[in-house]
Amino acid sequence: MTEKDINEPLQFGTQAPGEPYLDRPGVYGIAIDWHGRVLVARVRQHLVLPGGGIDAGEDMEAALRREYREETGFKIQLLGPIGRANQFVRSYRDGTGYNKLCQFYRVELVGKQGPIAEPDHHPEWISLSQAAENLMEEAHRWAIRKIQDS
């Protein structure tokens, strides 16, 4: 295995031929409770890890704290990196193609910060095995499997 193989993120999803995809850096946190369950957000009928895009001028840690607060209402502490993976997706809002450049971190909940700011996000706890099978994006399922394998 070369150094490039170790440092290059995996690519998930399929890019439609001839369709443009915009790179979208993002960060996601995985919180696991004492029962071995992971906190996810239900968005419409899909399950996702809390997190999302990094805004201009925002660093990765600030973005993850903001996204976690908006989607779950919790404050977090970062525990350490899990890995990186990319995911081709299409926006459900306008059909824009994105290559989500995802960074995944273990996080710990350190308190409630306030109400959920994203009304279509509903936090819930599920088992790691349910998450590894049912999260909407393959890159998110990959990050859960990395934790299961460690």
Side-chain angles (χ1 to χ4, degrees), residues 10 14 23 37 39 86 88 90 109 111 130 132 134 143 146:
L10 296 173
T14 304
D23 284 347
R37 299 175 304 174
L39 183 60
N86 300 337
F88 288 121
R90 285 242 168 246
L109 304 182
Q130 287 174 305
N134 297 310
K146 280 199 68 156

Side-chain angles (χ1 to χ4, degrees), residues 24 43-44 53 67 70-71 89-98 117-121:
R24 179 69 169 127
V43 183
R44 292 167 301 286
E67 288 282 351
E70 290 173 356
E71 296 177 4
V89 299
R90 285 242 168 246
S91 168
Y92 70 90
R93 291 185 180 123
D94 64 8
T96 301
Y98 292 100
E118 304 225 8
D120 64 342
H121 284 63

